[in-house]
Amino acid sequence: MNIEYFKKFEKELNAGLKKQAANSVQLFINSFKDEDEIRSWVWEYLPKLEKNTHCCIRHELFVNLVYPTLKKGFEVGHYDSTLWLGKLAQNIYQTKGVFEELGSLAEMGFYRKCYELDSNRIEGKELLLCCLLDWFSYCEHEWPAGILYGNNGATVEQCFEIRQEAELARSLTVNENEQAFIVQFLIKLDQYERDLTRQPR
């Protein structure tokens, strides 16, 4: 691996030299001698990324270096690989075929897998909770007109699924504001479900 190509790529990218940057990133990718070297670089690179919920990295780096490493880890139940696939969900959605290769899991699905792998690790729990709370906010955003599931009003069966997820979220947080939000959401869900079952078939 020649790290100088990567440094050159970053400088060119920052200077707006897109064509030169594309050439340098390809030279960097081609400079790796084997899988072990790739894996070592990937696990050095990922923790340095900006610490925000949604990361998106250069397509060539993702496809050629990062994704193959994370996919192998994911397939054997490696926690950190699974976690980073969730964080890099935008790259997954933008790369043809990758979403399907990974079992059509959305961002929340990777964090749920992390929780199943190790329910005690904080970061996975927090990211799963964040996704669930965002989903509940979406579900109720047309209230009092109804509770959404996808683009449509939730069915009785979907209300059951949403309630299960809300109970999971309650078990993940001790924050009073988050608990209060979940409680008021469940009240709306109960009311919506009552109204739903009263409607003539």
Side-chain angles (χ1 to χ4, degrees):
M1 173 195 66
N2 188 338
I3 197 66
E4 293 307 313
Y5 287 133
F6 184 71
K7 290 176 182 175
K8 191 167 178 283
F9 153 71
E10 289 190 310
K11 281 180 188 171
E12 289 163 347
L13 199 61
N14 290 334
L17 304 170
K18 293 183 180 179
K19 197 170 180 180
Q20 293 93 321
N23 183 54
S24 294
V25 79
Q26 199 55 56
L27 287 169
F28 175 64
I29 290 163
N30 294 340
S31 74
F32 284 87
K33 66 180 183 192
D34 57 32
E35 248 181 63
D36 287 342
E37 200 171 59
I38 291 172
R39 186 167 55 248
S40 176
W41 179 80
V42 166
W43 288 114
E44 187 183 329
Y45 169 70
L46 289 177
K48 294 176 184 172
L49 291 177
E50 288 294 318
K51 290 287 192 292
N52 57 10
T53 308
H54 299 101
C55 301
C56 197
I57 62 176
R58 179 82 178 195
H59 178 75
E60 297 96 321
L61 295 174
F62 178 74
V63 170
N64 294 288
L65 303 176
V66 175
Y67 173 61
T69 300
L70 297 183
K71 182 172 181 269
K72 284 191 175 178
F74 172 71
E75 288 171 344
V76 295
H78 182 243
Y79 184 96
D80 287 329
S81 297
T82 307
L83 187 75
W84 272 102
L85 285 171
K87 290 182 178 185
L88 295 172
Q90 293 308 310
N91 280 104
I92 291 171
Y93 302 149
Q94 291 167 19
T95 307
K96 189 176 180 183
V98 167
F99 179 67
E100 292 75 15
E101 269 183 28
L102 294 168
S104 302
L105 284 180
E107 181 185 359
M108 184 161 64
F110 291 109
Y111 301 146
R112 189 184 303 282
K113 289 266 185 197
C114 286
Y115 184 68
E116 290 167 3
L117 288 168
D118 188 345
S119 61
N120 293 314
R121 289 198 45 187
I122 302 284
E123 190 175 10
K125 279 169 70 172
E126 287 179 346
L127 288 169
L128 175 58
L129 176 63
C130 185
C131 283
L132 287 167
L133 294 176
D134 285 347
W135 183 42
F136 303 150
S137 293
Y138 171 78
C139 289
E140 69 165 23
H141 86 271
E142 288 191 1
W143 186 262
I147 296 289
L148 291 178
Y149 189 102
N151 294 323
N152 302 307
T155 63
V156 173
E157 292 78 15
Q158 288 165 342
C159 286
F160 177 75
E161 183 188 333
I162 294 169
R163 183 173 288 101
Q164 283 187 311
E165 298 288 41
E167 292 301 342
L168 170 61
R170 280 176 88 171
S171 74
L172 294 175
T173 182
V174 291
N175 179 286
E176 285 183 17
N177 290 335
E178 290 170 347
Q179 287 281 354
F181 168 73
I182 296 166
V183 167
Q184 66 81 35
F185 174 70
L186 282 168
I187 290 168
K188 290 173 184 171
L189 183 65
D190 287 341
Q191 186 178 329
Y192 171 77
E193 196 171 5
R194 282 197 302 274
D195 293 343
L196 205 60
T197 51
R198 279 198 212 105
Q199 288 174 8
R201 300 279 174 190

